[in-house]
Amino acid sequence: MATILKRWVRQRRLWVALTLLVIGMVPSGMALGQEAPSAESVATAVNYVWVMTAAILVFFMQAGFALLEAGSTRSRNAGSVFMKNLMDFCMCGLAFWAFGFAIMFGGTGLAPGLEAGNSIVGTSGFLLSGEAGSTDTALLWFFQMVFAATAATIVSGALAERTRLDAYMAYSFLISAIIYPVYGHWVWGGGWLAELGAWDFAGSGVVHAVGGVAAFVGAKMVGPRKGKFAGDGTPRSIPGHNMGYIVIGTMILFVGWFGFNPGSTLNGNDPQIAVIAVNTFLAGIAGGVVAYYVQLVRTGKADIPVTCSGIIAGLVGITAPCAFVDNWAALVIGGIAGGLVILGAGFLERRLGVDDPVWAIACHGICGLWGLLALGIFANGEYLEVAGLITGSTDTFVAQLVSMVTVVAWTGLASVLIFGFIKATIGLRVSEADEDAGVDSTEFTQPGYVFETVSN
Amino acid sequence: MATILKRWVRQRRLWVALTLLVIGMVPSGMALGQEAPSAESVATAVNYVWVMTAAILVFFMQAGFALLEAGSTRSRNAGSVFMKNLMDFCMCGLAFWAFGFAIMFGGTGLAPGLEAGNSIVGTSGFLLSGEAGSTDTALLWFFQMVFAATAATIVSGALAERTRLDAYMAYSFLISAIIYPVYGHWVWGGGWLAELGAWDFAGSGVVHAVGGVAAFVGAKMVGPRKGKFAGDGTPRSIPGHNMGYIVIGTMILFVGWFGFNPGSTLNGNDPQIAVIAVNTFLAGIAGGVVAYYVQLVRTGKADIPVTCSGIIAGLVGITAPCAFVDNWAALVIGGIAGGLVILGAGFLERRLGVDDPVWAIACHGICGLWGLLALGIFANGEYLEVAGLITGSTDTFVAQLVSMVTVVAWTGLASVLIFGFIKATIGLRVSEADEDAGVDSTEFTQPGYVFETVSN
Amino acid sequence: MATILKRWVRQRRLWVALTLLVIGMVPSGMALGQEAPSAESVATAVNYVWVMTAAILVFFMQAGFALLEAGSTRSRNAGSVFMKNLMDFCMCGLAFWAFGFAIMFGGTGLAPGLEAGNSIVGTSGFLLSGEAGSTDTALLWFFQMVFAATAATIVSGALAERTRLDAYMAYSFLISAIIYPVYGHWVWGGGWLAELGAWDFAGSGVVHAVGGVAAFVGAKMVGPRKGKFAGDGTPRSIPGHNMGYIVIGTMILFVGWFGFNPGSTLNGNDPQIAVIAVNTFLAGIAGGVVAYYVQLVRTGKADIPVTCSGIIAGLVGITAPCAFVDNWAALVIGGIAGGLVILGAGFLERRLGVDDPVWAIACHGICGLWGLLALGIFANGEYLEVAGLITGSTDTFVAQLVSMVTVVAWTGLASVLIFGFIKATIGLRVSEADEDAGVDSTEFTQPGYVFETVSN
């Protein structure tokens, strides 16, 4: 009885505390016997709220990728495309929890539990255990995990319609555990590229070029879809099945990018977030408008997938330099990306014989590299004193070139090894019969679509 | 003329005030003759912004439920499923405005206008009138309303493809006016379960178990879809019509859950929000991965609806304990939920003869109860000193058991009465002819889909 | 070598600074040698975070409009509808960057670089150049641009299924460069309507009535879809192809409206945001419920497009008065809008012979005007001392009437000129053959849908 009474008393005390806490009638912590809020504590709270909001927006991009990729492929494989976009962040989450985060941020001292490490690879924070389970580390982990998941999911589009689900899941785990965090450590984890003066504000290189280069290796190793190339190597068009999915996917990605880029301040008290948002928007629309008109001139018709690729290309291109450039430069960077993605996709398909159903390699790989370069050219020397060629400084430009070579070399090499390992063990590609039938009807319990009501 | 002049002067004064206010060049209120901001006032502002953002995310879950449920059912009833997911939050909004909120929070003193009340039922704040129209009360109402709407919408999936729209709308009103707020008052409104020491951080019980138990009663009383069970009671599979909707719906729900769980701090100044987000994410992916592999072993194929149910199950399971457990425990809780949902759905279908097209009962009912129990097991004693079995304390565990029994008993009993009342008056089920034809073509002015362009 | 060393040192210094900055362990700016945070600086940060979040939500509404409009039209034109909703914000972004923002806000002094101007038209801030590239201006631009994009996109629905893409893109540019910002300047830019005492909190007039009136002019000038009216002028129903898109589009718009209305405080430190959210929600559901029951009584069936139009109508109606009215009044305003939209759509179709496939004119034009009027009636005199008829004051009511006449006259006149100019140059309408075939197959490289797997 005394126990019950004590429990009630304790519960009531907590209830009163919670009551006072709610909606800030008493500032956080006070009711529980902690200190009154200070400007410092509230500034930290603003950072938490901002980083959380941004991370949630970035996570929402998973739905954008899923729709964009599914719409760009044939309906017989739609379920498979959606499923891959779902499973990759599941695998990435586990990998980044167990290994990736520690490799990337161990040693940065950015948060408790990340104390050891060196300029090559992080060595603390595995399994988010011990001190790494603190609130500050949790915030950093959550934000960085959704970025890792973006890099992982980029690969799925390039491999669509002929890759085994289990092989793709294995790759998702390994890119998130090893490939992504190592280069990430070099640039964002205080590694040797950061020491060299290479910059990448929100991840044109760390996220998009890594994803794009891995997608290139994967698409090359798994080979083109059956029927994509004629006997003489001439590419054939395989139209996607749903333009609406492509547009809505692009819009969702655009929305998410406002978490991706402005959120990368990791700081809600930094008014630069507004400049970053404007630059992000302008580069995205410039990419779309340029791609739209280029394709209109080439074909005489409006092309939804190409226009959407132009928008994504512009967004990828501005991701590295978004905080460092003037808004006119954002338009230039995005516009160039919008042309580059068409050139690049044509080159990949016609010259290199790569079949990439969603232009992931051109959008994320090529324009990711362009973003790193553009930073070295257009950085205006104001924010964090990062200065590109237009200020007369060559230091950053040179460091960016080194970073570009590095991301291609590292991601390319590591991807060859990992895809090779998967090919030798699980196998990369579905059988020809399965590909003909569509993987939805062979690898999955149910078809992607079952329509009963089709009229007219 | 003097009037016009006076109006101009007043208007100009306000304009200047607004001008100064905008984007904080003068802090809020000062321009209008109020005080300068203090750390306390800004801490409150952070709470407002955080709670608003979280509530909007939770409201977005309505779109997730609509897609998940529509994708899991046949295309002939797609319009109906979407419409029910739209009308239920309309009915819930009216009910929670008029009655529900007052019953749930009257007497908590959580906000102005909520002064009276007792440990059984709230008695103040009806119609949000009088003092209850204040800004603090509005914030609390908005956040709590979107939770009530979630509980209401859970039921729609279990009743899909054979329930009358008007009956469902009536039920939506009544669950939001009575069933949800009463148990909600007991747990979150300072009622007897709170006094007993039962905890439910974000609503595994208050939202999900209530919705799931109501769904069970409803599905049982409305009966299975025609053709669901063979003459000997053997269940047959009725495949859903759109795997993409299921995946996108699940992703939107996952996104919304980052408002649901971290937002339940009601406090943007509480750094625990980051830990909650990480636990939520880990439990969701653990549920998905376990369900994926369990089903793969059982069937040899990848199963999209089951994997998505595993994710939802993991998220439901972590909802109660999300703030109180370590991240390893979140993985365990979510993983167990991912297996439990498959077991539970099979038990419901094969043993109890319940036809639940979207596994709402297994996901929200069974895993909601599991969430309450998991809190009693895994709470680590740190946050708010809530301690589960793993700390050696049994108090919370026992209180959780009482809460579990209570939510089943109360929701079950009240749902039987309300569904029985609706059955006796409006009727629950559409005619057999309507069910055969699909309710879109009988209850609605237009079919759910009209495709003109179908090619191969 | 000395250069490299210097670069390393600088880089390391910045790294340490960034490290300290991250997640607020040292408050913003301090690490870079700026001042410690004050309550004032953090209050500004809260405004930034709030305005950014709200703007992103408003931008997300583009996806809602795209889905709502595509679902309301035939599948043969689905790709076209999606594309128009994509290109209009691209064109709007360029127009608002180059011209619109300066015309609307130049002279308000709301942010640096906006110093000159008068009560008719703004004259500074073109191309966001010079001082107008500051962070405060960027924040204001970003928020205002997404509103301009909303006004632009409203027009697309009314013109769907028969308007040339290039003509629509030209119009999108011109409405955003000229029509929208001029009236916007009069009301929100300190222009003559603001001086007169006219109010429009979040844009029933500035955004929705402008879009709706322009849609009316456009729909009238481009003419009805072939087959919409019988020889004797009797309208025929042309059902939309996807009810799910309509519902999800409506839900996304509803979600975005919580950025649209509460965000229009431009101030996260203003607790009125909670009241605004509640009023917005209540008006939306009241509109939906009234429209649902009105149509149920008229037809005996549930009507998804009409119910969704009712929700949109309620949201449009509350947009102007959302901050100034009690929650009971929000229900009344929304409910009236829900009836008005049905009446208005019938009047437009049957009396004026206007073919508006998505009821954009009734929802945004008519209910936008209703919102301006409702403010003049129901404003309770509390927030910013804005007082409507119910307080016994007639000043605001009269000013609202002037504003209503003005928005119709200005937008109508300017739209006639601009649509006339486009008609005379580019041409407004696709050929009859193209319209018969569906514009997806004539203006576009690929059809909107290609389904391979259709089974029963």
Side-chain angles (χ1 to χ4, degrees):
Chain A
M1 191 60 208
T3 310
I4 291 180
L5 193 66
K6 225 170 86 186
R7 194 160 62 212
W8 279 19
V9 169
R10 193 198 65 204
Q11 187 70 26
R12 280 204 176 276
R13 181 171 59 73
L14 283 168
W15 183 255
V16 170
L18 265 176
T19 300
L20 294 171
L21 265 171
V22 165
I23 54 175
M25 278 175 298
V26 166
S28 169
M30 271 185 76
L32 294 167
Q34 295 162 11
E35 302 157 61
S38 61
E40 282 75 16
S41 77
V42 186
T44 300
V46 172
N47 293 347
Y48 265 73
V49 169
W50 172 242
V51 172
M52 284 289 300
T53 304
I56 295 166
L57 285 166
V58 175
F59 183 63
F60 187 34
M61 292 171 76
Q62 295 288 332
F65 279 110
L67 285 164
L68 176 59
E69 293 176 15
S72 303
T73 47
R74 287 168 293 184
S75 64
R76 74 175 80 151
N77 300 310
S80 152
V81 172
F82 280 112
M83 185 66 164
K84 284 178 180 161
N85 277 279
L86 190 74
M87 294 317 292
D88 58 21
F89 74 75
C90 291
M91 301 314 287
C92 169
L94 294 177
F96 205 69
W97 170 76
F99 308 108
F101 180 69
I103 290 171
M104 189 155 169
F105 289 101
T108 58
L110 279 170
L114 303 174
E115 310 312 338
N118 54 61
S119 70
I120 305 302
V121 66
T123 53
S124 61
F126 293 93
L127 303 175
L128 272 184
S129 60
E131 220 190 337
S134 72
T135 56
D136 281 357
T137 315
L139 186 68
L140 185 65
W141 186 88
F142 186 53
F143 190 75
Q144 298 297 341
M145 177 275 297
V146 292
F147 277 65
T150 305
T153 205
I154 287 168
V155 181
S156 62
L159 305 186
E161 304 202 85
R162 76 276 199 200
T163 309
R164 292 173 61 103
L165 175 60
D166 48 7
Y168 177 70
M169 286 171 63
Y171 186 75
S172 299
F173 190 93
L174 293 169
I175 189 177
S176 309
I178 302 171
I179 304 178
Y180 174 85
V182 167
Y183 178 69
H185 181 77
W186 297 345
V187 180
W188 288 349
W192 67 273
L193 281 168
E195 289 171 352
L196 196 70
W199 286 94
D200 184 358
F201 192 74
S204 285
V206 174
V207 177
H208 295 282
V210 165
V213 172
F216 173 77
V217 172
K220 198 70 197 162
M221 288 181 72
V222 79
R225 287 170 292 176
K226 210 179 146 184
K228 175 66 193 173
F229 293 101
D232 63 354
T234 313
R236 292 173 181 146
S237 168
I238 301 179
H241 86 283
N242 197 321
M243 297 301 109
Y245 281 5
I246 295 179
V247 170
I248 298 298
T250 302
M251 287 178 172
I252 290 176
L253 287 171
F254 212 143
V255 166
W257 236 288
F258 292 119
F260 209 93
N261 287 4
S264 288
T265 57
L266 289 174
N267 182 348
N269 291 275
D270 183 345
Q272 193 72 0
I273 58 178
V275 169
I276 298 169
V278 171
N279 284 344
T280 300
F281 178 75
L282 290 175
I285 64 170
V289 168
V290 167
Y292 169 78
Y293 282 111
V294 167
Q295 192 73 348
L296 186 68
V297 167
R298 292 177 67 203
T299 66
K301 296 198 173 190
D303 193 312
I304 291 175
V306 169
T307 305
C308 290
S309 293
I311 289 176
I312 304 299
L315 293 168
V316 169
I318 200 64
T319 295
C322 58
F324 306 121
V325 299
D326 294 322
N327 60 69
W328 65 263
L331 282 165
V332 171
I333 293 168
I336 290 175
L340 199 56
V341 74
I342 295 178
L343 279 177
F347 178 79
L348 286 162
E349 191 169 291
R350 281 188 292 274
R351 300 292 163 126
L352 304 185
V354 173
D355 177 18
D356 176 357
V358 307
W359 289 19
I361 304 166
C363 283
H364 300 278
I366 294 175
C367 294
L369 295 174
W370 161 239
L372 291 179
L373 192 71
L375 188 160
I377 298 171
F378 293 102
N380 60 18
E382 288 171 18
Y383 188 70
L384 300 179
E385 300 172 29
V386 179
L389 289 184
I390 61 162
T391 68
S393 160
T394 57
D395 288 7
T396 300
F397 185 77
V398 172
Q400 297 303 101
L401 290 177
V402 174
S403 188
M404 289 164 70
V405 171
T406 304
V407 69
V408 173
W410 162 252
T411 309
L413 184 69
S415 291
V416 166
L417 292 175
I418 288 176
F419 274 119
F421 173 75
I422 295 172
K423 191 170 191 171
T425 49
I426 301 175
L428 280 178
R429 190 162 181 138
V430 300
S431 74
E432 203 175 315
D434 286 9
E435 189 177 350
D436 286 340
V439 291
D440 282 11
S441 60
T442 56
E443 279 193 306
F444 288 81
T445 54
Q446 297 176 45
Y449 290 103
V450 185
F451 284 117
E452 304 167 312
T453 50
V454 176
S455 61
N456 188 6
Chain B
M1 191 60 207
T3 309
I4 290 180
L5 193 67
K6 225 169 87 186
R7 195 160 62 211
W8 281 19
V9 168
R10 194 198 65 204
Q11 187 71 25
R12 280 206 177 277
R13 183 170 60 73
L14 282 168
W15 183 254
V16 170
L18 265 176
T19 301
L20 295 171
L21 265 172
V22 163
I23 53 175
M25 277 176 297
V26 167
S28 170
M30 271 186 76
L32 296 167
Q34 296 162 11
E35 303 156 61
S38 61
E40 281 75 15
S41 76
V42 186
T44 300
V46 172
N47 292 348
Y48 265 74
V49 168
W50 173 242
V51 172
M52 284 288 301
T53 304
I56 295 166
L57 285 166
V58 175
F59 183 62
F60 187 36
M61 292 171 74
Q62 295 287 332
F65 279 110
L67 286 164
L68 176 58
E69 293 175 15
S72 303
T73 47
R74 287 168 293 185
S75 64
R76 74 175 79 152
N77 300 309
S80 153
V81 172
F82 280 112
M83 186 67 164
K84 283 178 181 161
N85 277 278
L86 190 75
M87 295 317 292
D88 57 22
F89 73 76
C90 290
M91 302 313 287
C92 168
L94 295 176
F96 205 69
W97 171 75
F99 308 109
F101 180 69
I103 290 171
M104 189 155 169
F105 288 102
T108 58
L110 278 170
L114 303 174
E115 310 313 336
N118 54 61
S119 71
I120 304 302
V121 65
T123 52
S124 61
F126 293 94
L127 304 174
L128 272 185
S129 59
E131 220 189 336
S134 72
T135 55
D136 280 358
T137 315
L139 186 68
L140 185 64
W141 186 87
F142 186 54
F143 190 75
Q144 297 298 340
M145 178 274 298
V146 292
F147 277 65
T150 304
T153 206
I154 288 167
V155 180
S156 62
L159 304 186
E161 305 203 87
R162 76 276 200 200
T163 309
R164 293 173 61 104
L165 176 59
D166 48 7
Y168 177 70
M169 287 171 63
Y171 185 75
S172 298
F173 190 93
L174 292 169
I175 188 177
S176 309
I178 302 171
I179 303 178
Y180 174 83
V182 167
Y183 178 68
H185 181 77
W186 297 345
V187 180
W188 288 349
W192 68 273
L193 281 169
E195 289 172 352
L196 195 70
W199 286 94
D200 185 357
F201 192 75
S204 284
V206 174
V207 177
H208 295 281
V210 164
V213 172
F216 173 77
V217 172
K220 198 71 197 161
M221 288 182 72
V222 78
R225 288 170 293 175
K226 212 180 144 183
K228 175 65 194 175
F229 293 100
D232 63 353
T234 313
R236 291 174 181 145
S237 168
I238 301 179
H241 85 283
N242 197 322
M243 297 300 109
Y245 281 5
I246 294 180
V247 170
I248 298 297
T250 302
M251 287 178 172
I252 290 176
L253 287 171
F254 212 143
V255 166
W257 236 288
F258 292 120
F260 209 93
N261 286 4
S264 289
T265 58
L266 288 174
N267 183 347
N269 291 274
D270 184 346
Q272 193 72 1
I273 58 178
V275 169
I276 298 168
V278 171
N279 284 345
T280 300
F281 177 76
L282 291 175
I285 63 170
V289 168
V290 167
Y292 169 78
Y293 282 111
V294 167
Q295 192 73 349
L296 186 68
V297 167
R298 292 176 67 203
T299 68
K301 296 198 173 190
D303 193 312
I304 292 175
V306 168
T307 306
C308 290
S309 293
I311 289 177
I312 305 297
L315 293 168
V316 169
I318 200 65
T319 296
C322 58
F324 306 121
V325 299
D326 295 323
N327 60 68
W328 66 263
L331 282 165
V332 171
I333 293 168
I336 290 175
L340 198 57
V341 73
I342 296 178
L343 280 177
F347 178 78
L348 286 162
E349 191 170 291
R350 281 188 293 274
R351 299 295 162 126
L352 304 185
V354 173
D355 177 17
D356 176 357
V358 306
W359 289 19
I361 304 166
C363 282
H364 301 278
I366 293 175
C367 293
L369 295 174
W370 162 239
L372 292 180
L373 191 71
L375 189 160
I377 298 170
F378 294 102
N380 59 19
E382 288 171 20
Y383 188 68
L384 299 179
E385 300 172 28
V386 178
L389 288 184
I390 61 162
T391 68
S393 159
T394 57
D395 287 8
T396 299
F397 184 78
V398 172
Q400 295 303 100
L401 290 177
V402 175
S403 188
M404 289 165 70
V405 171
T406 304
V407 69
V408 172
W410 161 251
T411 309
L413 183 69
S415 291
V416 166
L417 292 174
I418 289 176
F419 275 118
F421 173 75
I422 296 171
K423 190 170 191 172
T425 50
I426 302 175
L428 280 178
R429 189 163 183 138
V430 300
S431 72
E432 203 174 317
D434 286 8
E435 190 177 348
D436 286 341
V439 291
D440 282 11
S441 61
T442 56
E443 279 193 307
F444 288 81
T445 55
Q446 297 177 44
Y449 291 102
V450 185
F451 284 117
E452 303 166 313
T453 49
V454 175
S455 60
N456 189 2
Chain C
M1 191 59 208
T3 310
I4 291 180
L5 193 66
K6 225 170 85 186
R7 194 161 64 212
W8 280 19
V9 169
R10 193 198 66 205
Q11 188 70 25
R12 280 204 177 278
R13 181 171 60 74
L14 282 168
W15 184 254
V16 170
L18 265 177
T19 301
L20 295 171
L21 265 171
V22 164
I23 53 174
M25 278 175 297
V26 166
S28 170
M30 270 187 75
L32 295 168
Q34 296 162 12
E35 303 157 61
S38 61
E40 281 76 15
S41 76
V42 187
T44 300
V46 172
N47 293 347
Y48 265 73
V49 168
W50 172 241
V51 172
M52 284 289 300
T53 304
I56 295 166
L57 285 166
V58 174
F59 183 63
F60 187 35
M61 292 171 75
Q62 295 287 332
F65 279 109
L67 287 164
L68 175 59
E69 294 176 14
S72 302
T73 47
R74 288 169 293 185
S75 64
R76 74 175 81 152
N77 300 309
S80 153
V81 171
F82 280 111
M83 185 68 164
K84 284 178 180 162
N85 278 279
L86 190 74
M87 295 316 291
D88 57 21
F89 74 75
C90 291
M91 302 313 286
C92 168
L94 295 177
F96 205 69
W97 170 76
F99 307 109
F101 181 68
I103 290 171
M104 190 155 169
F105 289 101
T108 58
L110 278 170
L114 303 174
E115 309 312 337
N118 54 60
S119 70
I120 304 302
V121 65
T123 54
S124 62
F126 292 94
L127 304 173
L128 272 185
S129 60
E131 219 190 337
S134 72
T135 55
D136 280 358
T137 316
L139 186 68
L140 184 64
W141 186 87
F142 186 54
F143 190 74
Q144 297 298 342
M145 177 274 297
V146 293
F147 277 65
T150 305
T153 206
I154 287 168
V155 180
S156 62
L159 306 187
E161 304 203 88
R162 77 274 201 201
T163 308
R164 292 173 61 103
L165 175 60
D166 48 8
Y168 177 70
M169 286 171 62
Y171 185 75
S172 298
F173 190 94
L174 293 169
I175 189 176
S176 308
I178 302 172
I179 303 178
Y180 174 83
V182 167
Y183 178 69
H185 181 76
W186 297 345
V187 180
W188 288 349
W192 68 273
L193 281 169
E195 290 172 351
L196 195 70
W199 286 93
D200 186 358
F201 192 75
S204 285
V206 173
V207 177
H208 296 281
V210 164
V213 172
F216 173 76
V217 173
K220 198 71 196 160
M221 287 182 72
V222 79
R225 288 170 291 176
K226 212 180 144 184
K228 176 64 195 175
F229 293 100
D232 62 353
T234 313
R236 292 173 182 145
S237 168
I238 300 179
H241 85 282
N242 197 322
M243 297 301 108
Y245 281 6
I246 295 180
V247 170
I248 298 298
T250 302
M251 287 177 172
I252 290 176
L253 287 170
F254 212 143
V255 166
W257 235 289
F258 292 120
F260 209 93
N261 287 3
S264 289
T265 57
L266 289 173
N267 183 347
N269 291 275
D270 184 345
Q272 193 72 1
I273 59 179
V275 169
I276 298 169
V278 171
N279 284 344
T280 300
F281 177 76
L282 290 175
I285 63 170
V289 169
V290 167
Y292 169 78
Y293 282 111
V294 167
Q295 192 73 351
L296 187 68
V297 167
R298 291 177 68 202
T299 67
K301 295 198 173 189
D303 192 312
I304 292 175
V306 168
T307 305
C308 289
S309 292
I311 289 177
I312 305 298
L315 292 168
V316 170
I318 200 65
T319 295
C322 58
F324 306 121
V325 299
D326 294 323
N327 60 68
W328 65 265
L331 282 166
V332 171
I333 293 169
I336 290 175
L340 200 56
V341 73
I342 296 178
L343 280 177
F347 178 79
L348 286 162
E349 191 169 290
R350 281 189 293 275
R351 300 293 163 126
L352 303 185
V354 174
D355 176 18
D356 176 357
V358 307
W359 289 20
I361 304 167
C363 282
H364 301 278
I366 294 174
C367 294
L369 295 174
W370 162 238
L372 292 180
L373 192 71
L375 188 160
I377 298 170
F378 294 102
N380 59 18
E382 287 170 19
Y383 188 68
L384 300 179
E385 300 172 28
V386 179
L389 288 184
I390 61 163
T391 68
S393 159
T394 58
D395 288 8
T396 299
F397 184 77
V398 172
Q400 295 304 99
L401 290 177
V402 174
S403 188
M404 289 165 70
V405 171
T406 303
V407 69
V408 173
W410 161 252
T411 309
L413 184 68
S415 291
V416 166
L417 292 174
I418 288 175
F419 274 118
F421 173 75
I422 295 172
K423 190 171 191 171
T425 51
I426 301 174
L428 280 178
R429 189 160 181 140
V430 300
S431 73
E432 204 174 315
D434 286 8
E435 189 177 350
D436 286 341
V439 291
D440 282 10
S441 61
T442 56
E443 280 192 306
F444 288 81
T445 55
Q446 297 176 45
Y449 291 102
V450 185
F451 283 117
E452 304 166 311
T453 49
V454 176
S455 60
N456 189 1

